[in-house]
Each structure stands twice: as structure tokens, then as C-alpha cells.
Amino acid sequence: MTRSANLGFPRIGLHRELKQALEACWKGSIDTAALQATARELRKRHWQLQRDAGIDVIPSNDFSLYDHVLDTTMMLGAAPQRFANIDDKTALYFAVARGTAEAPAMEMTKWFDTNYHYIVPELHRGQQFSLGSAKAVEEYLEAKALGIETRPVIVGPVTWLSLGKTRDDGLDPISLLDAVLPVYAELLATLKATGAQWVQIDEPVLSLDLSDAQKSAMRRAYEVLAPVAPRIMLATYFGALLDTTELAASLPVSGLHVDLVRAPEQLDAILTALPGNTVLSVGVVDGRNIWRADLDRQLGLVSRAWDSVGPDRLEIAPSCSLLHAPVDLDGETDLDPELRSWLAFAKQKLLEVAALTVAMQKGRAAAKEAFDASAAATQSHRQSTRIHRPQVKERAGAALDLDRRSRFPARRDAQRARFRLPAFPTTTIGSFPQTGDVREMRAAFRHGRIDAPVYESFLEAETEKTVRIQERLGLDVLVHGEFERNDMVEYFGEQLEGFAFTRNGWVQSYGSRCVKPPVIYGDVSRPAPMTVRWSAYAASLTDRPMKGMLTGPVTILQWSFVRVDQPRADTCRQIALAIRDEVLDLEAAGIGIIQIDEPALREGLPLRRRDWDAYLRWAVDCFRATASGVADDTQIHTHMCYAEFNDIMPSIAALDADVISIETSRSDMELLQAFRNFRYPNEIGPGIWDIHSPRVPSQADMEALMRKAATAIPAEQLWVNPDCGLKTRGWPEVEASLEHLVQTARALRA
Ligand code: GLN
Ligand code: ZN
């Protein structure tokens, strides 16, 4: 009979219980046993919740104290050598994740195109692996003791190796496959001996562009593992299989999970390729977003699969693990009821999966209530004036104004004449320390303990203090400090139409860190200026140029839950036009330098190269549309961090910002080679102070970085600035570092 399945449940807990327990444990205020007790409690609660929701196939080992890729690394006994002196398992686990005084943490990067960060495996030639953790077995047994049969989840060997990085030149991580397979085999055999009927092995790399080596590793891995393992459900997600369809379907596994939310069009190809006895798990409820499913439409998709594979070879599931969705919508009582009726969090998504399964087993009438509610929501969604606003659509549908009045050389001359900045001008990226005071005052204001005039005069005082400090330090282009902002996306979302905010819509970002992305549910517009008041106030305090600070449209899109009833590009255009109006209002208020931050531009790149161009085209257009309305002598800056720019240099140049500041200090200016090779035409501020570290760099450190930069980029194009905003730093380090930074610029001028 057709079964309902889940691929993974959020671990953090409805009230971020895991976060609290982790942070208490790290501080030493609870011990490891207490942390483990909280973790066990969460697992139990989540297993029971899934069973109560009507899920037949419930995952285990999807839980993690920090990260599931790190769990796999520990399973393989692959903690780096520099931690070899730590014996205690839990201490080792957190040391590897977070670093110690002696040894830096393992690196972290984004899990495919999500905002979840995993700990990057470190690989080297001749590496030895051995079973370091049987967590998968322990958690399987833990559920079993509660009377719940589960399907353990592990990250597959090809994905684990592909996500790793190596410092050994010329070493393809995949060449370590034969070294890791015996450990996988040992673990899988143990699971089988323990009674597990099935195991879910995640190989999301199957939806990327794979090398031949990766493809043959995939074959070899499952030829070795399938005979010793429980029945394998091979899980793919985040996109279509395309050229790996045949490969995935021909592996000697018992089941294949495919993502039919991101790629519904792949169903036919999958059905054609799938051998006659393989179970097909159809991912038809979106695990990556918060929208309620249109159950009738998804039932159509499931029925097509059913027609082909029959009832006994079909599983119905979310598209991917629900790790990327918040836990439960039930607590969102502040949301407008109509808006709420359009949403589904993890728990509600499982109810959708269960309803689809019941409908397949017994007919739609057997799940009438769920289907009726879904149909009503779909109907209200289609018509709501809260979502669809004709003027906004009309404006965003028209051709965008993409070009500044003049090309860069003419603008540069006009800007030089206007601002008369010295060579190697100095500036910062925007925010200044968000101290406890600032956060407390904001909380007090939000909760009504202080009124607006009190809060505003506090912000004015902070801003003025920051302006005076920058003047005293001798910075050339000042900023107001962003004290009024909680977060660079939320601050704008709260002032734009079409955005909503949840109370508990937390999703894990990394370790104990969670984010609560805004929800873009409707057409976006800007009812009133958003930043002019603070920029104009700051500008009135000083004779030096004051830089206005905005978040760019691609970053606002990327860090939100975005509506799926229209292309992302269309939503981005609407945001771009709202930001454009803000740019023009800033300019009209006399702000001559405006920075539009796009730190998330690179991370929005699609997983497959064939989709890059289309994305980059609209992303670049949207940025250009925010900036193109200003006069030649208004200087547009942009800022990016955490990015590999080599791949997308032409697009960065196509943004045509007058100045770009980028994070470079950690990579020792290596990034600048991309700018040099490309002969990047406009001005650049390579970050010379790694603001993610509390360390105060000396003037000599900074000067060395700038001199290195000057070998890649002509000196007259260079600015001097930190890597990123300073909001997480303390004032003493900020003042000391900026003093060195200004001295660095002076030394270079001399
Ligand atoms: N202007 C923002 C700040 O300074 C930029 C932050 C970012 O790049 N992530 O905080
Ligand atoms: Zn940054």
C-alpha cells in the first residue's frame, strides 16, 4: 500500500530549545548530560508528532547536535589531526565545530542553495577512516524503545566526499571513495543486524553537474553498499536529476526519492527510467518554503506516478528534509487569519503528506477536510487584493531603466570634482557596534516600555557619537552606523508592503544559530521613505560626505521566504523598484554617496550551470534598476562578502557600481586576482580587516594587504575599508582598528 514518508524534521525545537541547551552547555551552566536529555526529549517529541500526523515512514538520525555533515564526518572518524588531543567525544565534536584556543574550527559553508551551513569535511591524500560514531544505530534503537520504527538517515559517501575540501594539490576528493566505503558498509551492516528494514541515504549531489569521476563513484558506492545494507531509499532533492536520471535509476537500491516541487517536469523521465521493482518516493510538499500545498494539484502529480508504479511501490513525501522549514504554524496567532491560511510549517506539511496518502489509499473523500481547506486557501490566494496589486504589477512589468546617464569614466570625473576625496579614500561598510545598550533600547521600544521620542533621541545620540568618532579618526566617507536597524533585511521588510513576519518561524542557519526570514507574500511596494530620516540626520551633523545605506533587492529576496505564485525575478523587480525610489529620495535629500549592499548575490546562483545566465541576467538588471536614476555625480557603492567571485566576474562588473567593497582579508587578497584578470574597470575597496575576528590588525598588517592589492589593481582605483559591517564588534577594537586603517591610507598616500 502507498505509504507516507518524511525525510527529516527540524531539530531546533519550536521554542529553540536546542539552541538554549547548546548555548547553556557551551557556557558551562548545564552539563553534557543535561544537553543530551534535552536532545532526547526533542527527538521523542518530534517522532511522536510525526506519528500523530499520520506519517508511516519516520526518519531517525536526522537529528543533530550541530550539523548532519559533521555527524557523518565523526561517523567516519575524520576529525582533523589538530584536535587529536581531545578524548571526550562530545568535547571533540564541539571543538571541531567551534574551534578551541589552540585549533581553529573546521570551515563552514552553505548546504547547496539553502541558508543552512554545514561543516566542510577536510580531506587529504592517504586519509584513513574508521567507524567513529554509531549515532545512527543509537538513535534507531532509541526510537524503537519508544515503540517507533524508523528509517535512519545518513549522508551518502559521494555527497560527503564531494562537499569536502582538500589542500593537497591535484587530489580529487572522490579518489578517497574506497577508503570510506568500508566504514559505511560496517555501519549499514550494523543497522541491518539491529533490525532496520530501510535506510535513507541522501545523495543530493545527484542534482548537480557531476564529473565522470563522481558518476562512477556513485555506481561503485552502491554496488558495494547495497548487498550489506538494509533496503536503501536513495534520496535526491533540490532539483531535477537531468543527465543523472539514468544513473540514479540504475543504482542497485530499493527506492529512489525525487524532488517534484523544484522539478515536477522530471516525473516522466523518472518513470521511464525506473526499474520495475524500485520504490518511488515522490517529493510533492515543499520542504524549502512555508506555503500551503495545493493538494488537488499535487494529487494529480501523485496519481500520475501511481498509474505507472502502482500502489505498492509508491511513497509520498516532502520534497526534501523539513530542516529548512519552521516547526509549527499553530503558534502564529498574531498573523492575519487569511494570510495564515496560506501557510504551512513542518507539522502542517506532514499533515498534507498524510492527506495525500489517505486520498491515494481510500479516495479524496476520505481526506475531504484537508482538501477543502487547501482548495479554499488556494482560491482566496488567487484573488486576494492583499497579494495582487495591479499598479505594482504594472510598474514592475514595464521595461526597467537599466543605465546610468553616463558611462563610468565620466561619472568618476564628476564625482571627483564633487567630493574631492584624497587618494586611497577611507570608509566603512555601514554598521557600527550594536552594543547591549542598543539592543536593550530597541527591545524596550518594541515592548512599549519606552515611547518613540525616547527611543529616537537615544538613536540620535548614538548616531552623533559615531559621526564624531569617525571625524576624529579622520575617515573620509562617513556612515550613520545603522543603530535603528535590527537586521539588514528585516528593517526594510517591515517598511515595505507585501511582507509579513512570524513569531516563531525559526530555521537553523548553523549550529545553535537560527534565522527568522521575512515572508514575502504579496506584491512589494514602498509606501514611504525608509532610511532618509536617519541618513539626513547624520549628514546634518558633519561637513564630510555621508554615505546612505540600503540593502539590495537580490539580498532581500534571497534572505526571505519568497512567494511561489510568480517567478522570483518578478518579485525581485518589485523590490528593486522600491529600493530605486529610496535611492532617489536619498539623493533628493542631499545624500551624494549611496551604498546598495548585495552580499547574497553570489549565493543565489542556481545549482546547475545551465541556469546561471538567466539568474545573473535578472539579478544584475534588478541591481542596475535600483541605481540608474541618479545623477552622474552621485556615487553608487555596493558591498559583497563571503563569495567566490571568479565565476561571476562579468556580472559583478555589469552591476556598474562606481565603487564595490568586498571581503578579502581572510583570503589574503587572493580574490583580487579575479578582479585583476578581468581588468575590473570601476573602483574597489578590498577589505583589509577581518571583522569576523576580535583581533585588532596592526597598521603593518593592513599596509601589507593594501600593497598586495595594489599589485593587482591600479592604485587610483583603490579604497581602504574593512571586510564588512562592524555591528558584531566592540567599540574598543573598532576604534583601534579604524585608527590603523586611516594610518594605512595616509602611509599609502605618502
Ligand atoms: N551595511 C551592512 C552592515 O554594515 C552590510 C552587512 C553585510 O554585508 N552582511 O552591517
Ligand atoms: Zn558584508
Side-chain angles (χ1 to χ4, degrees):
M1 199 161 62
T2 300
R3 301 196 300 170
S4 56
N6 186 23
L7 305 191
F9 196 82
R11 312 138 179 170
I12 208 79
L14 178 59
H15 299 291
R16 290 181 292 161
E17 292 89 332
L18 183 59
K19 173 194 177 70
Q20 266 102 47
L22 281 168
E23 290 172 3
C25 181
W26 295 337
K27 268 199 313 228
S29 54
I30 65 168
D31 62 11
T32 327
L35 169 64
Q36 295 292 3
T38 301
R40 226 176 4 255
E41 191 49 44
L42 284 169
R43 290 192 290 265
K44 178 176 166 191
R45 192 203 293 168
H46 296 159
W47 283 322
Q48 288 173 345
L49 181 153
Q50 293 175 78
R51 186 187 55 194
D52 296 346
I55 298 300
D56 303 319
V57 182
I58 296 172
S60 60
N61 200 40
D62 54 333
F63 181 85
S64 177
L65 281 177
Y66 202 97
D67 163 42
H68 55 276
V69 179
L70 177 59
D71 293 346
T72 314
T73 302
M74 301 313 261
M75 172 188 107
L76 292 164
Q81 206 45 42
R82 62 182 179 279
F83 299 98
N85 61 332
I86 306 175
D87 291 328
D88 177 73
K89 274 200 173 174
T90 314
L92 173 64
Y93 183 81
F94 290 136
V96 166
R98 309 177 63 231
T100 63
E102 298 81 40
M106 290 172 83
E107 261 181 46
M108 182 166 81
T109 194
K110 283 183 192 248
W111 173 247
F112 297 84
D113 59 351
T114 72
N115 256 326
Y116 174 86
H117 300 70
Y118 69 90
I119 305 272
V120 181
E122 289 179 22
L123 304 172
H124 58 83
R125 220 181 284 281
Q127 195 161 349
Q128 305 281 318
F129 300 89
S130 63
L131 192 61
S133 153
K135 174 176 174 291
V137 180
E138 288 154 17
E139 290 183 11
Y140 170 75
L141 288 171
E142 187 179 310
K144 201 171 185 114
L146 295 168
I148 299 179
E149 184 61 31
T150 56
R151 183 170 71 185
V153 186
I154 57 175
V155 176
V158 183
T159 292
W160 185 80
L161 288 170
S162 302
L163 296 178
K165 64 158 218 182
T166 165
R167 285 188 191 280
D168 292 358
D169 260 358
L171 175 71
D172 182 351
I174 293 298
S175 65
L176 295 169
L177 182 73
D178 282 335
V180 301
L181 285 182
V183 185
Y184 272 92
E186 184 182 348
L187 179 92
L188 289 166
T190 312
L191 277 173
K192 190 175 185 176
T194 313
Q197 300 295 307
W198 280 87
V199 60
Q200 171 189 325
I201 304 188
D202 285 2
E203 290 284 12
V205 290
L206 280 163
S207 42
L208 304 183
D209 300 314
L210 292 188
S211 68
D212 290 342
Q214 285 169 306
K215 289 182 185 169
S216 45
M218 205 58 92
R219 265 181 228 109
R220 165 137 183 81
Y222 291 93
E223 271 156 25
V224 171
L225 299 180
V228 296
R231 299 217 269 163
I232 296 172
M233 172 58 72
L234 187 78
T236 70
Y237 40 81
F238 299 154
L241 296 179
L242 302 176
D243 59 319
T244 61
T245 304
E246 300 285 328
L247 169 65
S250 66
L251 295 172
V253 293
S254 306
L256 179 67
H257 171 85
V258 294
D259 185 340
L260 296 182
V261 171
R262 276 274 175 95
E265 72 287 351
Q266 69 171 334
L267 179 59
D268 290 331
I270 302 282
L271 291 174
T272 309
L274 204 71
N277 44 10
T278 309
V279 173
L280 179 64
S281 166
V282 289
V284 289
V285 167
D286 193 350
R288 291 283 300 271
N289 216 327
I290 45 149
W291 307 107
R292 183 177 209 144
D294 178 346
L295 289 181
D296 280 306
R297 195 184 59 195
Q298 298 313 81
L299 188 64
L301 204 55
V302 175
S303 303
R304 274 173 50 208
W306 193 91
D307 288 343
S308 170
V309 302
D312 297 332
R313 283 172 51 214
L314 187 63
E315 262 176 38
I316 301 175
S319 58
C320 59
S321 165
L322 298 175
L323 177 63
H324 313 288
V327 178
D328 188 357
L329 182 67
D330 289 346
E332 299 296 332
T333 45
D334 293 348
L335 284 179
D336 166 89
E338 185 183 32
L339 172 58
R340 213 179 99 168
S341 78
W342 301 329
L343 305 181
F345 292 179
K347 181 176 143 191
Q348 289 70 33
K349 287 172 187 295
L350 293 175
L351 294 169
E352 293 176 332
V353 167
L356 285 164
T357 309
V358 168
M360 288 313 298
Q361 291 167 342
K362 306 182 193 156
R364 188 184 180 282
K368 185 174 183 320
E369 215 176 301
F371 275 79
D372 286 353
S374 164
T378 305
Q379 184 68 9
S380 102
H381 192 265
R382 213 164 272 151
Q383 294 166 351
S384 175
T385 51
R386 199 190 290 276
I387 298 177
H388 303 286
R389 291 183 305 124
Q391 293 106 303
V392 178
K393 285 197 208 297
E394 199 176 310
R395 184 175 174 212
L400 294 175
D401 172 15
L402 298 176
D403 297 316
R404 297 281 299 264
R405 279 161 225 182
S406 307
R407 293 163 61 90
F408 175 68
R411 303 198 308 261
R412 180 192 52 209
D413 294 347
Q415 291 160 19
R416 286 194 174 156
R418 175 173 177 188
F419 299 112
R420 307 197 163 281
L421 296 172
F424 299 104
T426 53
T427 190
T428 60
I429 308 304
S431 56
F432 268 77
Q434 288 256 336
T435 54
D437 276 7
V438 176
R439 289 197 304 266
E440 262 163 46
M441 287 300 272
R442 180 154 47 246
F445 174 58
R446 290 218 157 191
H447 294 114
R449 292 195 298 272
I450 57 170
D451 59 11
V454 174
Y455 180 54
E456 301 228 332
S457 58
F458 168 79
L459 292 176
E460 284 181 358
E462 288 295 304
T463 306
E464 172 156 21
K465 177 178 118 189
T466 303
V467 170
R468 297 296 165 240
I469 289 174
Q470 293 173 85
E471 284 177 335
R472 182 172 52 71
L473 289 166
L475 284 151
D476 300 308
V477 173
L478 311 194
V479 298
H480 73 282
E482 302 182 18
F483 299 105
E484 75 287 7
R485 303 185 188 178
N486 36 9
D487 169 272
M488 65 186 290
V489 171
E490 196 172 2
Y491 182 75
F492 290 91
E494 281 177 342
Q495 301 185 71
L496 291 166
E497 295 279 347
F499 282 73
F501 294 84
T502 62
R503 200 195 271 170
N504 274 310
W506 297 103
V507 286
Q508 192 175 9
S509 170
Y510 64 91
S512 67
R513 289 272 272 239
C514 301
V515 293
K516 193 150 64 71
V519 177
I520 307 181
Y521 65 88
D523 289 333
V524 175
S525 66
R526 187 197 70 142
M530 303 181 283
T531 66
V532 176
R533 183 232 184 279
W534 289 107
S535 289
Y537 170 72
S540 75
L541 301 172
T542 180
D543 295 332
R544 302 195 186 199
M546 178 62 60
K547 185 160 66 165
M549 273 310 139
L550 302 173
T551 302
V554 183
T555 298
I556 293 181
L557 187 80
Q558 199 58 33
W559 291 349
S560 300
F561 282 122
V562 182
R563 58 192 287 196
V564 289
D565 62 325
Q566 66 181 20
R568 285 171 80 82
D570 293 3
T571 304
C572 198
R573 289 164 74 99
Q574 296 178 352
I575 304 170
L577 291 169
I579 300 295
R580 174 188 176 89
D581 293 345
E582 187 70 16
V583 167
L584 294 174
D585 280 345
L586 281 170
E587 182 184 50
I591 306 297
I593 303 184
I594 300 167
Q595 179 172 310
I596 306 164
D597 291 326
E598 284 291 20
L601 185 96
R602 171 70 174 76
E603 73 184 50
L605 265 191
L607 293 175
R608 296 268 192 177
R609 261 184 197 266
R610 62 158 199 180
D611 302 324
W612 282 18
D613 279 354
Y615 162 77
L616 287 168
R617 206 165 309 130
W618 63 254
V620 167
D621 282 359
C622 285
F623 181 89
R624 291 176 67 110
T626 62
S628 62
V630 298
D632 285 349
D633 67 354
T634 294
Q635 187 171 67
I636 298 290
H637 290 221
T638 189
H639 164 72
M640 289 181 196
C641 37
Y642 293 120
E644 271 292 335
F645 296 117
N646 298 286
D647 293 337
I648 60 163
M649 219 37 237
S651 301
I652 291 182
L655 298 176
D656 197 26
D658 298 308
V659 183
I660 181 171
S661 60
I662 52 169
E663 177 188 314
T664 38
S665 77
R666 269 192 292 188
S667 76
D668 199 27
M669 299 282 138
E670 269 162 33
L671 227 63
L672 285 183
Q673 294 313 323
F675 285 82
R676 174 172 65 188
N677 297 341
F678 188 76
R679 292 175 191 279
Y680 183 78
N682 300 8
E683 296 183 7
I684 309 182
I688 54 168
W689 162 22
D690 173 10
I691 60 85
H692 297 96
S693 151
R695 182 172 169 273
V696 174
S698 68
Q699 185 193 326
D701 293 338
M702 291 183 170
E703 230 183 285
L705 287 175
M706 279 311 292
R707 295 203 186 276
K708 196 157 179 188
T711 64
I713 310 283
E716 65 273 12
Q717 278 173 262
L718 287 172
W719 283 62
V720 179
N721 50 255
D723 262 348
C724 193
L726 309 177
K727 75 192 236 188
T728 57
R729 300 268 61 93
W731 272 108
E733 327 144 37
V734 163
E735 287 189 60
S737 302
L738 288 179
E739 201 168 311
H740 298 164
L741 187 137
V742 171
Q743 283 160 4
T744 297
R746 290 192 178 135
L748 292 167
R749 286 167 202 156

mmCIF file of all heavy atoms in Angstrom, residues 77-100:
data_model
loop_
_atom_site.group_PDB
_atom_site.id
_atom_site.type_symbol
_atom_site.label_atom_id
_atom_site.label_comp_id
_atom_site.label_asym_id
_atom_site.label_seq_id
_atom_site.Cartn_x
_atom_site.Cartn_y
_atom_site.Cartn_z
ATOM 1 N N GLY A 77 35.144 8.913 11.526
ATOM 2 C CA GLY A 77 36.356 9.114 12.315
ATOM 3 C C GLY A 77 37.289 10.104 11.643
ATOM 4 O O GLY A 77 38.507 9.947 11.692
ATOM 5 N N ALA A 78 36.726 11.144 11.027
ATOM 6 C CA ALA A 78 37.539 12.032 10.199
ATOM 7 C C ALA A 78 37.720 13.427 10.798
ATOM 8 O O ALA A 78 37.863 14.411 10.072
ATOM 9 C CB ALA A 78 36.931 12.126 8.800
ATOM 10 N N ALA A 79 37.726 13.522 12.151
ATOM 11 C CA ALA A 79 38.048 14.814 12.764
ATOM 12 C C ALA A 79 39.502 15.132 12.432
ATOM 13 O O ALA A 79 40.350 14.247 12.463
ATOM 14 C CB ALA A 79 37.853 14.753 14.272
ATOM 15 N N PRO A 80 39.813 16.395 12.099
ATOM 16 C CA PRO A 80 41.185 16.726 11.719
ATOM 17 C C PRO A 80 42.188 16.442 12.840
ATOM 18 O O PRO A 80 41.862 16.508 14.030
ATOM 19 C CB PRO A 80 41.123 18.222 11.423
ATOM 20 C CG PRO A 80 39.694 18.523 11.186
ATOM 21 C CD PRO A 80 38.908 17.550 11.995
ATOM 22 N N GLN A 81 43.397 16.172 12.416
ATOM 23 C CA GLN A 81 44.508 15.834 13.291
ATOM 24 C C GLN A 81 44.738 16.861 14.396
ATOM 25 O O GLN A 81 45.114 16.517 15.510
ATOM 26 C CB GLN A 81 45.759 15.707 12.405
ATOM 27 C CG GLN A 81 46.844 14.812 12.936
ATOM 28 C CD GLN A 81 46.313 13.498 13.475
ATOM 29 O OE1 GLN A 81 45.438 12.870 12.878
ATOM 30 N NE2 GLN A 81 46.832 13.081 14.636
ATOM 31 N N ARG A 82 44.484 18.144 14.090
ATOM 32 C CA ARG A 82 44.789 19.183 15.084
ATOM 33 C C ARG A 82 43.946 19.071 16.353
ATOM 34 O O ARG A 82 44.199 19.761 17.335
ATOM 35 C CB ARG A 82 44.652 20.576 14.463
ATOM 36 C CG ARG A 82 43.276 20.942 13.960
ATOM 37 C CD ARG A 82 43.283 22.335 13.323
ATOM 38 N NE ARG A 82 41.979 22.725 12.814
ATOM 39 C CZ ARG A 82 41.473 22.334 11.645
ATOM 40 N NH1 ARG A 82 42.161 21.532 10.864
ATOM 41 N NH2 ARG A 82 40.264 22.740 11.268
ATOM 42 N N PHE A 83 42.910 18.207 16.317
ATOM 43 C CA PHE A 83 42.083 18.012 17.515
ATOM 44 C C PHE A 83 42.406 16.689 18.217
ATOM 45 O O PHE A 83 41.666 16.257 19.097
ATOM 46 C CB PHE A 83 40.599 18.046 17.141
ATOM 47 C CG PHE A 83 40.164 19.355 16.542
ATOM 48 C CD1 PHE A 83 40.074 19.514 15.158
ATOM 49 C CD2 PHE A 83 39.876 20.446 17.349
ATOM 50 C CE1 PHE A 83 39.692 20.723 14.607
ATOM 51 C CE2 PHE A 83 39.481 21.661 16.802
ATOM 52 C CZ PHE A 83 39.399 21.801 15.422
ATOM 53 N N ALA A 84 43.503 16.046 17.794
ATOM 54 C CA ALA A 84 43.786 14.676 18.252
ATOM 55 C C ALA A 84 43.946 14.576 19.768
ATOM 56 O O ALA A 84 43.759 13.511 20.344
ATOM 57 C CB ALA A 84 45.029 14.138 17.557
ATOM 58 N N ASN A 85 44.271 15.694 20.426
ATOM 59 C CA ASN A 85 44.479 15.635 21.877
ATOM 60 C C ASN A 85 43.181 15.621 22.683
ATOM 61 O O ASN A 85 43.207 15.496 23.896
ATOM 62 C CB ASN A 85 45.351 16.819 22.310
ATOM 63 C CG ASN A 85 44.680 18.145 21.973
ATOM 64 O OD1 ASN A 85 43.905 18.231 21.023
ATOM 65 N ND2 ASN A 85 44.962 19.175 22.759
ATOM 66 N N ILE A 86 42.020 15.753 22.016
ATOM 67 C CA ILE A 86 40.755 15.781 22.769
ATOM 68 C C ILE A 86 40.133 14.387 22.763
ATOM 69 O O ILE A 86 39.827 13.840 21.708
ATOM 70 C CB ILE A 86 39.774 16.801 22.150
ATOM 71 C CG1 ILE A 86 40.458 18.173 22.049
ATOM 72 C CG2 ILE A 86 38.494 16.890 22.969
ATOM 73 C CD1 ILE A 86 39.634 19.231 21.351
ATOM 74 N N ASP A 87 39.954 13.805 23.951
ATOM 75 C CA ASP A 87 39.454 12.432 24.048
ATOM 76 C C ASP A 87 37.937 12.355 24.157
ATOM 77 O O ASP A 87 37.300 11.524 23.531
ATOM 78 C CB ASP A 87 40.058 11.734 25.276
ATOM 79 C CG ASP A 87 41.543 11.487 25.061
ATOM 80 O OD1 ASP A 87 41.919 11.269 23.894
ATOM 81 O OD2 ASP A 87 42.301 11.542 26.046
ATOM 82 N N ASP A 88 37.389 13.252 24.968
ATOM 83 C CA ASP A 88 35.952 13.191 25.203
ATOM 84 C C ASP A 88 35.188 13.457 23.898
ATOM 85 O O ASP A 88 35.441 14.439 23.209
ATOM 86 C CB ASP A 88 35.560 14.236 26.261
ATOM 87 C CG ASP A 88 34.067 14.247 26.484
ATOM 88 O OD1 ASP A 88 33.566 13.299 27.105
ATOM 89 O OD2 ASP A 88 33.394 15.186 25.992
ATOM 90 N N LYS A 89 34.241 12.567 23.584
ATOM 91 C CA LYS A 89 33.568 12.629 22.280
ATOM 92 C C LYS A 89 32.768 13.912 22.065
ATOM 93 O O LYS A 89 32.827 14.516 20.997
ATOM 94 C CB LYS A 89 32.646 11.424 22.104
ATOM 95 C CG LYS A 89 33.388 10.232 21.560
ATOM 96 C CD LYS A 89 32.445 9.222 20.945
ATOM 97 C CE LYS A 89 33.278 8.142 20.263
ATOM 98 N NZ LYS A 89 32.501 7.039 19.753
ATOM 99 N N THR A 90 32.019 14.291 23.084
ATOM 100 C CA THR A 90 31.212 15.497 22.927
ATOM 101 C C THR A 90 32.109 16.724 22.840
ATOM 102 O O THR A 90 31.881 17.624 22.016
ATOM 103 C CB THR A 90 30.224 15.642 24.109
ATOM 104 O OG1 THR A 90 29.615 14.380 24.319
ATOM 105 C CG2 THR A 90 29.186 16.682 23.822
ATOM 106 N N ALA A 91 33.149 16.757 23.671
ATOM 107 C CA ALA A 91 34.074 17.893 23.643
ATOM 108 C C ALA A 91 34.728 17.989 22.266
ATOM 109 O O ALA A 91 34.858 19.079 21.695
ATOM 110 C CB ALA A 91 35.137 17.730 24.735
ATOM 111 N N LEU A 92 35.103 16.839 21.721
ATOM 112 C CA LEU A 92 35.733 16.827 20.399
ATOM 113 C C LEU A 92 34.771 17.358 19.339
ATOM 114 O O LEU A 92 35.129 18.185 18.495
ATOM 115 C CB LEU A 92 36.168 15.395 20.054
ATOM 116 C CG LEU A 92 36.691 15.178 18.628
ATOM 117 C CD1 LEU A 92 37.978 15.974 18.402
ATOM 118 C CD2 LEU A 92 36.941 13.695 18.349
ATOM 119 N N TYR A 93 33.534 16.885 19.419
ATOM 120 C CA TYR A 93 32.515 17.282 18.437
ATOM 121 C C TYR A 93 32.357 18.806 18.402
ATOM 122 O O TYR A 93 32.391 19.437 17.344
ATOM 123 C CB TYR A 93 31.207 16.597 18.824
ATOM 124 C CG TYR A 93 30.048 16.818 17.888
ATOM 125 C CD1 TYR A 93 29.935 16.072 16.717
ATOM 126 C CD2 TYR A 93 29.057 17.752 18.171
ATOM 127 C CE1 TYR A 93 28.859 16.258 15.855
ATOM 128 C CE2 TYR A 93 27.984 17.937 17.322
ATOM 129 C CZ TYR A 93 27.884 17.183 16.163
ATOM 130 O OH TYR A 93 26.823 17.371 15.323
ATOM 131 N N PHE A 94 32.220 19.416 19.580
ATOM 132 C CA PHE A 94 32.029 20.869 19.607
ATOM 133 C C PHE A 94 33.326 21.618 19.295
ATOM 134 O O PHE A 94 33.297 22.713 18.722
ATOM 135 C CB PHE A 94 31.444 21.317 20.948
ATOM 136 C CG PHE A 94 30.013 20.887 21.143
ATOM 137 C CD1 PHE A 94 29.576 20.351 22.339
ATOM 138 C CD2 PHE A 94 29.094 21.023 20.103
ATOM 139 C CE1 PHE A 94 28.245 19.955 22.513
ATOM 140 C CE2 PHE A 94 27.770 20.631 20.256
ATOM 141 C CZ PHE A 94 27.345 20.083 21.467
ATOM 142 N N ALA A 95 34.461 21.031 19.645
ATOM 143 C CA ALA A 95 35.740 21.683 19.337
ATOM 144 C C ALA A 95 35.919 21.797 17.828
ATOM 145 O O ALA A 95 36.312 22.838 17.296
ATOM 146 C CB ALA A 95 36.887 20.890 19.949
ATOM 147 N N VAL A 96 35.600 20.707 17.150
ATOM 148 C CA VAL A 96 35.735 20.686 15.699
ATOM 149 C C VAL A 96 34.804 21.721 15.060
ATOM 150 O O VAL A 96 35.158 22.421 14.117
ATOM 151 C CB VAL A 96 35.417 19.260 15.195
ATOM 152 C CG1 VAL A 96 35.204 19.228 13.717
ATOM 153 C CG2 VAL A 96 36.513 18.294 15.610
ATOM 154 N N ALA A 97 33.598 21.826 15.620
ATOM 155 C CA ALA A 97 32.603 22.736 15.057
ATOM 156 C C ALA A 97 32.914 24.195 15.366
ATOM 157 O O ALA A 97 32.656 25.071 14.549
ATOM 158 C CB ALA A 97 31.218 22.385 15.603
ATOM 159 N N ARG A 98 33.455 24.449 16.552
ATOM 160 C CA ARG A 98 33.534 25.841 17.003
ATOM 161 C C ARG A 98 34.949 26.328 17.221
ATOM 162 O O ARG A 98 35.166 27.510 17.473
ATOM 163 C CB ARG A 98 32.731 26.000 18.303
ATOM 164 C CG ARG A 98 31.316 25.442 18.182
ATOM 165 C CD ARG A 98 30.561 25.529 19.485
ATOM 166 N NE ARG A 98 30.378 26.890 19.904
ATOM 167 C CZ ARG A 98 30.679 27.353 21.118
ATOM 168 N NH1 ARG A 98 31.156 26.533 22.026
ATOM 169 N NH2 ARG A 98 30.489 28.620 21.414
ATOM 170 N N GLY A 99 35.925 25.428 17.158
ATOM 171 C CA GLY A 99 37.312 25.829 17.378
ATOM 172 C C GLY A 99 37.647 25.880 18.859
ATOM 173 O O GLY A 99 36.765 25.916 19.721
ATOM 174 N N THR A 100 38.942 25.854 19.152
ATOM 175 C CA THR A 100 39.419 25.991 20.529
ATOM 176 C C THR A 100 40.501 27.068 20.506
ATOM 177 O O THR A 100 40.841 27.578 19.444
ATOM 178 C CB THR A 100 40.068 24.684 21.030
ATOM 179 O OG1 THR A 100 41.220 24.422 20.215
ATOM 180 C CG2 THR A 100 39.113 23.512 20.947
#
